Amino acid sequence: EAGVAQSPRYKIIEKRQSVAFWCNPISGHATLYWYQQILGQGPKLLIQFQNNGVVDDSQLPKDRFSAERLKGVDSTLKIQPAKLEDSAVYLCASSLNKGTSGELFFGEGSRLTVL
Amino acid sequence: RKEVEQDPGPFNVPEGATVAFNCTYSNSASQSFFWYRQDCRKEPKLLMSVYSSGNEDGRFTAQLNRASQYISLLIRDSKLSDSATYLCVVRNTGFQKLVFGTGTRLLVSP
């Protein structure tokens, strides 16, 4: 079974530029998550989708971050304009049925460096 | 106060040693608890769930103390391959958000 796919794996941009990350979850997984993991910290939830609806975006910096999951399958996360503190790994994860079992399947992540 | 707190370590132990990690959580209404493992520069993966009665999976034992809001992970007979960061994860009410701790780094040496 294919896992969660993310691209690009690495991205280097200058501050104030924009960047977009793409995620394709495991087939059949209704719930999709975007996490931000800063070096030395645990993953922090940015946004959670149930199918194509947002169920939690309380920690998403909405002045610069946006995310969509238009057809309830793949998703994009955009940052515009980027700040130095956005340097992190952006992890996409998916789960069955809101992740009731606690098992989230993560992609390999997109590592962003903002110079 | 952070929702989930862990000692970041690193814990340096020799092969064969027993090591224990602790985690505390602040939300008394938290429903479920998990340990995830994250290898260096890799994605997190579920290690095991934590049940109220305590549970064991091979060399790994997880325990929960709801009164003290405290979770533990015990690893017996450590292997070199156990070297990783162990993330304590708590599920809160509402949208069932999973909250990750900072992680505890374990280094097992020969």
Side-chain angles (χ1 to χ4, degrees):
Chain A
E1 180 183 278
V4 176
Q6 289 189 247
S7 67
R9 289 292 312 280
Y10 304 93
K11 189 74 176 179
I12 301 174
I13 61 173
E14 295 189 347
K15 59 183 179 184
R16 292 187 289 273
Q17 287 187 320
S18 62
V19 63
F21 302 115
W22 173 83
C23 172
N24 190 22
I26 293 173
S27 178
H29 282 195
T31 310
L32 185 148
Y33 314 78
W34 282 102
Y35 280 85
Q36 179 194 58
Q37 187 171 26
I38 292 172
L39 187 64
Q41 298 182 20
K44 181 183 88 169
L45 180 67
L46 293 175
I47 189 167
Q48 177 179 340
F49 292 95
Q50 180 70 18
N51 296 307
N52 61 348
V54 175
V55 294
D56 187 346
D57 63 356
S58 56
Q59 296 190 98
L60 186 74
K62 299 180 185 66
D63 58 335
R64 298 184 300 106
F65 286 64
S66 64
E68 60 182 14
R69 193 185 184 198
L70 291 174
K71 297 182 179 179
V73 181
D74 58 353
S75 175
T76 55
L77 175 71
K78 296 180 182 177
I79 308 174
Q80 181 179 15
K83 292 185 175 181
L84 297 176
E85 60 260 36
D86 298 332
S87 294
V89 177
Y90 291 86
L91 293 162
C92 179
S94 68
S95 66
L96 285 169
N97 302 324
K98 301 179 184 178
T100 307
S101 69
E103 185 160 21
L104 270 57
F105 295 86
F106 285 88
E108 292 181 302
S110 294
R111 186 175 297 271
L112 174 66
T113 301
V114 182
L115 303 175
Chain B
R1 184 184 171 187
K2 290 183 181 178
E3 286 189 77
V4 181
E5 293 204 62
Q6 297 182 251
D7 179 343
F11 283 57
N12 290 284
V13 302
E15 267 187 299
T18 295
V19 61
F21 307 134
N22 301 322
C23 165
T24 57
Y25 59 95
S26 61
N27 187 344
S28 60
S30 296
Q31 298 176 320
S32 314
F33 311 89
F34 312 92
W35 285 101
Y36 272 68
R37 170 189 168 133
Q38 186 171 27
D39 292 311
C40 188
R41 301 180 76 86
K42 297 286 188 180
E43 71 274 22
K45 293 183 180 179
L46 179 66
L47 178 66
M48 60 195 301
S49 301
V50 185
Y51 303 123
S52 297
S53 55
N55 50 299
E56 191 173 303
D57 183 2
R59 298 181 293 108
F60 298 82
T61 300
Q63 293 194 312
L64 168 65
N65 183 323
R66 283 190 185 271
S68 301
Q69 296 180 203
Y70 168 99
I71 305 155
S72 66
L73 177 68
L74 182 78
I75 306 175
R76 291 181 300 278
D77 188 23
S78 299
K79 311 290 185 191
L80 295 176
S81 57
D82 293 334
S83 296
T85 295
Y86 291 84
L87 298 160
C88 177
V89 185
V90 172
R91 179 193 300 286
N92 292 330
T93 55
F95 298 120
Q96 309 224 321
K97 182 172 75 175
L98 288 176
V99 181
F100 285 75
T102 303
T104 297
R105 191 170 172 213
L106 171 66
L107 298 171
V108 182
S109 55

